[in-house]
Amino acid sequence: MKKTFEVMGGKFDITVVSLDEELGYIYIQEALIEVQRIEKLISSWDDASETSLINKNAGIKPVKVSWELYKLIERSIQISEITNGAFDITYTALEDIWKFDGSMHSMPSNTEVKAVADRVGYKNIVLNSKDQTVFLNKKDMRISFGGIGKGFAADKAKALLVSKEVKAGIINIGGDITTWGTKTTGDKWLIGIVNPESKGLVSSWLPILESSVATSGGDADYMIVNDKKYTHVLNPKTGYPATGIISVSVFAKSAELSDALATSIFVMGLNSGIALINQLGDTEVIIVDENNKMHKSNGIILN
């Protein structure tokens, strides 16, 4: 059974393998409720969310949060550490000066970028595990989970269904995909890899068995200034859009890690990104550079 819903500003496709159609529909509804719960927890648009409370109290006081959100922030900081700051949930302040909705036709000044970039930096997130609090120690700092939240939600929905003994399924939240089990035929779930040199056609199929894939691409939102295209993925270290890459697909055990690493590698660039993935276990990457050339990590074998 397959259903599509609108959540987290995009599409949520879910397929479950169930012998009983009515039961399958109940499982799908439960997964949807779980994703909506996560969205409410991590949304920086929802004034009542824990994330918004953290942001409102930036530079003022620590905020006590649920263990679930606390651990997500802790894992986000760990990814910032291993990517040398290419991944950073405090990038949000940069969105005050960069707009990728077609309304922006000139670059912000260096002064504007610098002023906002001063409020970015994961090292300014202070965690206190004893009190379970989060404190942003600079005024007007903000966090958001644009680079990890959909993967986190996909993992949570999968975990819920696995706990209910749903044998197999696929969850796809805005391009962050996680799978478990196999099709009813016993065949593996497959993902099509588009080779840009073959005019956008699927050139190979990769099995995703009990694992996840996330793609970060510059196609979704971008701006064009002086005939140059700038992607919506911002480099938290420079305050400017990331350059050199068109898309990154990361394969990992969890959708959360796939999501965060795809964002990170977009910022890190081709060579650093592949070098990082080749050092990590159970993780692979396919990168398309700005010249439409495809690159891959050591463990990816395309037919």
Side-chain angles (χ1 to χ4, degrees):
M1 296 189 64
K2 183 178 178 186
K3 289 274 177 197
T4 299
F5 305 97
E6 288 285 324
V7 290
M8 297 181 119
K11 277 199 166 26
F12 166 36
D13 291 317
I14 175 164
T15 302
V16 298
V17 173
S18 173
L19 297 173
D20 181 319
E21 192 176 339
E22 200 172 319
L23 203 52
Y25 185 69
I26 290 167
Y27 289 142
I28 285 172
Q29 284 301 121
E30 287 179 332
L32 172 65
I33 289 163
E34 177 69 347
V35 171
Q36 288 169 333
R37 181 185 74 79
I38 296 297
E39 182 175 22
K40 195 152 178 51
L41 180 73
I42 67 175
S43 169
S44 45
W45 306 109
D46 180 347
D47 273 355
S49 76
E50 289 187 6
T51 304
S52 291
L53 282 177
I54 294 168
N55 291 343
K56 279 179 202 152
N57 286 286
I60 302 166
K61 64 176 186 191
V63 174
K64 189 171 172 58
V65 296
S66 62
W67 188 238
E68 198 171 27
L69 186 67
Y70 184 90
K71 294 305 280 183
L72 175 64
I73 294 169
E74 191 175 65
R75 292 193 301 276
S76 298
I77 293 170
Q78 286 165 354
I79 292 165
S80 299
E81 294 280 357
I82 67 165
T83 60
N84 194 23
F87 180 82
D88 194 329
I89 57 171
T90 70
Y91 77 91
T92 324
L94 295 169
E95 293 181 339
D96 292 348
I97 54 165
W98 295 100
K99 302 283 177 225
F100 298 95
D101 55 6
S103 65
M104 214 171 155
H105 305 290
S106 63
M107 301 287 275
S109 71
N110 288 342
T111 314
E112 283 177 299
V113 173
K114 177 152 182 13
V116 176
D118 282 346
R119 308 202 311 261
V120 174
Y122 71 93
K123 291 191 169 153
N124 294 304
I125 306 172
V126 181
L127 296 182
N128 180 326
S129 59
K130 188 164 74 68
D131 298 335
Q132 214 169 293
T133 60
V134 181
F135 178 51
L136 307 180
N137 68 16
K138 283 192 175 183
K139 193 132 180 57
D140 296 325
M141 256 185 92
R142 302 201 302 281
I143 58 169
S144 61
F145 297 98
I148 196 170
K150 286 176 181 161
F152 174 56
D155 284 341
K156 295 297 280 190
K158 171 179 164 177
L160 177 76
L161 294 181
V162 168
S163 76
K164 291 180 178 291
E165 298 184 0
V166 176
K167 292 281 180 281
I170 299 187
I171 288 167
N172 178 351
I173 303 182
D176 288 3
I177 299 166
T178 189
T179 71
W180 72 104
T182 58
K183 298 178 190 175
T184 43
T185 56
D187 293 334
K188 296 169 182 171
W189 303 110
L190 297 172
I191 183 163
I193 302 300
V194 176
N195 188 328
E197 291 171 326
S198 62
K199 299 188 170 53
L201 301 171
V202 170
S203 57
S204 1
W205 293 90
L206 280 180
I208 40 173
L209 191 62
E210 307 292 335
S211 66
S212 309
V213 58
T215 298
S216 189
D219 285 347
D221 300 304
Y222 56 88
M223 59 183 242
I224 295 174
V225 178
N226 301 330
D227 295 328
K228 185 166 164 55
K229 184 174 170 180
Y230 293 93
T231 155
H232 71 285
V233 181
L234 293 164
N235 182 335
K237 298 201 287 185
T238 64
Y240 285 88
T243 56
I245 287 178
I246 292 175
S247 87
V248 179
S249 296
V250 172
F251 300 79
K253 283 280 179 255
S254 76
E256 179 188 297
L257 185 61
S258 304
D259 193 3
L261 287 176
T263 307
S264 309
I265 290 166
F266 213 102
V267 171
M268 292 169 80
L270 178 63
N271 295 335
S272 301
I274 287 185
L276 172 68
I277 293 294
N278 283 335
Q279 290 168 49
L280 296 172
D282 295 330
T283 312
E284 300 296 342
V285 68
I286 294 175
I287 299 174
V288 178
D289 69 19
E290 61 190 350
N291 301 315
N292 251 1
K293 285 266 181 289
M294 190 189 269
H295 308 263
K296 55 195 180 53
S297 55
N298 294 339
I300 295 256
I301 296 146
L302 298 177
N303 51 4

